[in-house]
């Protein structure tokens, strides 16, 4: 895995059948201008929409795409390609045109998120890299948008690193979807995101008593968060209040938030809120973490839990569905389909007729009318709809 | 995303609360030798076992772990750490001991997959990076093992790139789990895996007829695979047979396999097998792809589908569960828990008592007795069990 950081071969970010198909195209001389649409037939999580992300990564990939000597040596070892084809790959740089929805926009099923127009071989060789970038980031951004919506204005902290399949993409796409911070320092550094966190159970256990641990934290930071559930949250909140008062008086250090990571969050947060309020600590926020997703957050808020912020890990890290709600997750089924082919000056729309897997032919434009009043997909040479 | 290839900051592959907790430990001088166990409380996919992977990546991460000037500047910007603490981080190199199960071994719930013994701050700062590496790779390797088992000796080709959340890890872990090849060239190059593939629908569509497309493929390679379902698989198999005969006679090129990517795989594969056999092409294999997982593969084989190999994408790429079978997926819930702490020459086992989240205290050894007759978890200073 670390090796992926020391060498990067964008030309090999492809499935074998792409250079194989490019080779057949090269041998037969069929390499006309082609348009591929990248779109999803269904929104993830049984939802209506996608929140587009990954465009920036996808375009960086296109800019970097090339074959170096090592790549070509590898290709010549695994396939008996004509050496002249490999020489053409060596000269390969993307020469086409890409249109895409902006990062962070809403897309609906069948709307082209990206449209690639280029000679067939170029357009084809990019397929897997474009899909990988956009499928993953859009999946996570959409999940984050759903979670943010469920939280009704409360903050979402992304806590996914240890379960995230690609932690950098997860942190960035979660932010695009509405998360306000990440626990992952590498992503905070790289993308200039807000980093937040509390303390781990292991730190509380490091001390002989919870009070000693809380005091050590309160002395270390002028604003700090305490974790309540290492032993017994209902006892811990009283210790936290005592420590907070002392740290405030002696050091001017403030308790910013307390965190519950297990137990009954509805009763627990109500109890904790009451204790904090009774102590005059109304500004101290309650953060809850542990198996959070959009359904769980909505349930907790519906039950009147006085929670101010949610830490969300696994469900963002994997773009998870919900077995309980019979909702698939983990992957966005974005596809990349040929819709136009042009050779010898003659262009023709391409269509695949296969039931619900059919494609819509031709080079398209998507128009958004009003504030999501409706979207209009037209051919590029058709006039825009009225009101667009 | 590409940026992740140009700069790598292992010291920031951590959640903010880890340096925060290390700081409290530093300020208070509590930094005794600690042992953390990395384990999972439950196997993924409601299964009994995990196939361990990610150890190599995890250990590379530990070897690389350090803080450079840029990292320290970033930390000083986001937190008011004492500068002397940051100087200690600059000198940080892992000085402890790590014991781990070998890559590719079977682990059961609660068995330590990895055991880290080091000063508290060192052991703690590694937590997220170790978990991220092992959780993901072990999840995918276990999924691959389940799929390989379901295929009863037939080959599994990993086709996950476009849906894989981390394609390099997916390809490598899928191989550890039993997949025999990957479609992803970058992983084939990096890990020296067998790359396989067929042709995309777009290549078939590039030509005026399916026959022309098949001929172009047959002429290009001395062993080739044809994709049957671009238009109508039952017609395509007859075209494929005609092309295969001609290419064999005229060029000595062999049809290795045909691929079905949609439709009724049971009836489709039976029909295709019959046509191939009638044409004397008994050695031509049938590959099936499209939404494959261990359940679907078992169903197809139970129904007598004469399939020789399966291409598996999404379910490997995301380590997916199954909504249909009410099985969670997408993440392995591996945890990293303190089980021992030693200060001033006095060591003590650490335990967390919290119902099913309780930890087992002490430094442990795992013994495997017989061929999975039983596993024995003992303390390191206990004698091994008889027969181990």
């Amino acid at each position: 895995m670390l090796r992926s950081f020391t060498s990067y071969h964008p030309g090999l970010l492809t499935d074998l059948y792409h250079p194989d198909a490019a080779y057949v195209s090269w041998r037969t001389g069929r390499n006309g201008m082609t348009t591929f649409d990248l779109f999803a037939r269904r929104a993830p999580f049984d939802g209506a929409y996608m929140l587009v992300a990954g465009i920036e990564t996808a375009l960086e990939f296109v800019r970097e795409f090339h074959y170096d000597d090592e790549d070509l040596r590898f290709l010549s070892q695994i396939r008996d390609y004509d050496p002249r084809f490999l020489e053409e790959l060596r000269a390969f740089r993307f020469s086409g045109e890409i249109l895409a929805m902006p990062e962070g926009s809403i897309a609906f099923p069948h709307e082209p998120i990206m449209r690639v127009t280029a000679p067939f071989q170029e357009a084809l060789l990019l397929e897997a890299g474009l899909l990988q970038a956009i499928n993953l980031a859009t999946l996570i951004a959409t999940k984050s948008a759903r979670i943010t919506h469920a939280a009704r204005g409360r903050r979402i902290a992304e806590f996914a690193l240890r379960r995230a399949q690609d932690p950098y993409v997860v942190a960035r796409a979660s932010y695009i979807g509405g998360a306000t911070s990440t626990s992952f320092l590498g992503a905070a550094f790289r993308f200039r995101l807000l980093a937040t966190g509390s303390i781990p159970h292991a730190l509380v256990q490091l001390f002989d008593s919870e009070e000693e641990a809380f005091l050590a934290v309160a002395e270390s930071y002028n604003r700090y968060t305490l974790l309540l559930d290492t032993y017994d949250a209902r006892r811990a909140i009283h210790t936290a209040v005592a420590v907070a008062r002392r740290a405030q008086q002696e050091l001017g250090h403030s308790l910013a938030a307390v965190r519950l990571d297990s137990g009954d969050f509805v009763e627990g947060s109500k109890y904790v809120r009451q204790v904090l309020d009774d102590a005059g600590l109304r500004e101290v926020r309650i953060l809850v973490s542990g198996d959070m997703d959009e359904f769980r957050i909505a349930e907790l808020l519906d039950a009147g839990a006085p929670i101010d912020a949610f830490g969300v890990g696994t469900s963002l890290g994997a773009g998870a569905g919900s077995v309980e709600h019979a909702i698939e997750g983990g992957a966005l089924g974005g596809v990349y389909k040929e819709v136009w082919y042009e050779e010898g000056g003659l262009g023709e729309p391409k269509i695949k007729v296969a039931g619900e897997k059919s494609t819509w032919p031709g080079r398209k434009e998507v128009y958004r009318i009003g504030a999501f009043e409706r979207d209009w997909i037209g051919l590029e040479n058709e006039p825009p709809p009225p009101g667009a």
Side-chain angles (χ1 to χ4, degrees), chain A residues 37-39 50-64 98-107 111-116 126 129-139 141 169 172-173 176 191 332 336:
Chain A
D37 279 350
L38 191 157
F39 62 96
M50 283 153 281
L51 193 67
V52 173
I55 300 292
E56 185 187 352
T57 309
L59 295 179
E60 285 185 58
F61 160 69
V62 174
R63 268 199 302 274
E64 293 287 327
I98 293 182
L99 301 179
M101 291 194 181
E103 199 90 341
S105 50
I106 298 271
E111 292 179 350
I113 293 172
M114 179 174 273
R115 189 182 106 179
V116 177
L126 298 173
L130 294 177
L131 282 171
Q132 200 276 330
I134 293 171
N135 273 336
L136 173 57
T138 298
L139 176 81
V169 172
R172 184 176 181 279
I176 289 174
F191 305 121
L332 173 67
Y336 183 79

Side-chain angles (χ1 to χ4, degrees), chain A residues 8-15 19 61 64-68 71 75 89 92 125:
Chain A
Y8 175 54
H9 294 268
L12 300 182
L13 195 58
T14 183
D15 288 313
F61 160 69
E64 293 287 327
F65 197 94
H66 72 278
Y67 290 93
D68 65 19
D71 301 330
L75 290 177
L89 286 187
F92 181 103
L125 285 167

Side-chain angles (χ1 to χ4, degrees), chain A residues 141-210:
Chain A
T142 306
K143 186 72 180 177
S144 175
R146 291 166 59 87
I147 289 170
T148 300
H149 180 75
R152 303 170 204 168
R154 289 159 191 84
R155 290 191 195 168
I156 300 297
E158 174 266 302
F159 279 1
L161 172 56
R162 66 195 57 196
R163 309 279 162 81
Q165 300 206 9
D166 185 327
Y168 287 98
V169 172
V170 165
R172 184 176 181 279
S174 294
Y175 177 77
I176 289 174
T180 50
S181 66
T182 179
S183 63
F184 173 28
L185 282 184
F189 170 74
R190 186 168 297 158
F191 305 121
R192 299 290 151 186
L193 307 178
L194 178 66
T196 58
S198 59
I199 53 169
H201 293 112
L203 182 70
V204 179
Q205 289 179 286
L206 180 65
F207 292 87
D208 295 328
S209 72
E210 198 167 41

Side-chain angles (χ1 to χ4, degrees), chain A residues 147 159 163 259-262 265 288-297 299-300 310-316 324:
Chain A
I147 289 170
F159 279 1
R163 309 279 162 81
R259 174 177 162 218
L260 291 167
D261 190 48
S262 58
F265 290 131
V288 157
S289 58
D291 293 330
M292 289 294 137
D293 65 11
E294 63 270 46
F295 303 104
R296 187 85 182 97
I297 288 172
E299 268 170 33
L300 291 172
F310 297 90
V312 185
T314 309
S315 77
L316 278 173
E324 200 186 330

Side-chain angles (χ1 to χ4, degrees), chain A residues 265-325:
Chain A
F265 290 131
V266 176
E267 291 312 310
S269 62
K270 284 180 178 170
Y271 183 83
V272 164
R273 183 75 271 158
Q274 192 62 51
V275 174
L276 288 169
D277 288 353
D278 291 349
L281 295 168
R282 287 180 192 280
E283 74 290 355
V284 174
R285 291 183 294 128
I286 299 176
L287 168 71
V288 157
S289 58
D291 293 330
M292 289 294 137
D293 65 11
E294 63 270 46
F295 303 104
R296 187 85 182 97
I297 288 172
E299 268 170 33
L300 291 172
L301 296 179
D302 286 347
I307 297 168
D308 303 292
F310 297 90
V312 185
T314 309
S315 77
L316 278 173
S322 167
V323 164
E324 200 186 330
H325 295 86

Side-chain angles (χ1 to χ4, degrees), chain A residues 78-94:
Chain A
I78 63 167
R79 275 289 193 265
D80 53 350
Y81 295 131
D82 187 316
R84 289 169 298 172
F85 171 67
L86 297 178
E87 279 313 304
E88 291 215 4
L89 286 187
R90 187 193 302 280
F92 181 103
R93 294 296 180 279
F94 183 70

Side-chain angles (χ1 to χ4, degrees), chain A residues 15-82:
Chain A
D15 288 313
L16 176 58
Y17 78 177
H18 292 122
D20 274 358
Y23 183 54
V24 175
S25 154
W26 178 83
R27 287 188 83 253
T28 56
R30 295 197 68 119
N31 191 31
M33 286 300 280
T34 312
T35 299
F36 279 80
D37 279 350
L38 191 157
F39 62 96
R41 297 190 183 99
R42 284 184 302 150
F45 314 118
D46 288 355
Y49 72 95
M50 283 153 281
L51 193 67
V52 173
I55 300 292
E56 185 187 352
T57 309
L59 295 179
E60 285 185 58
F61 160 69
V62 174
R63 268 199 302 274
E64 293 287 327
F65 197 94
H66 72 278
Y67 290 93
D68 65 19
D69 288 348
E70 216 176 358
D71 301 330
L72 297 175
R73 199 159 48 241
F74 174 66
L75 290 177
S76 72
Q77 283 163 356
I78 63 167
R79 275 289 193 265
D80 53 350
Y81 295 131
D82 187 316

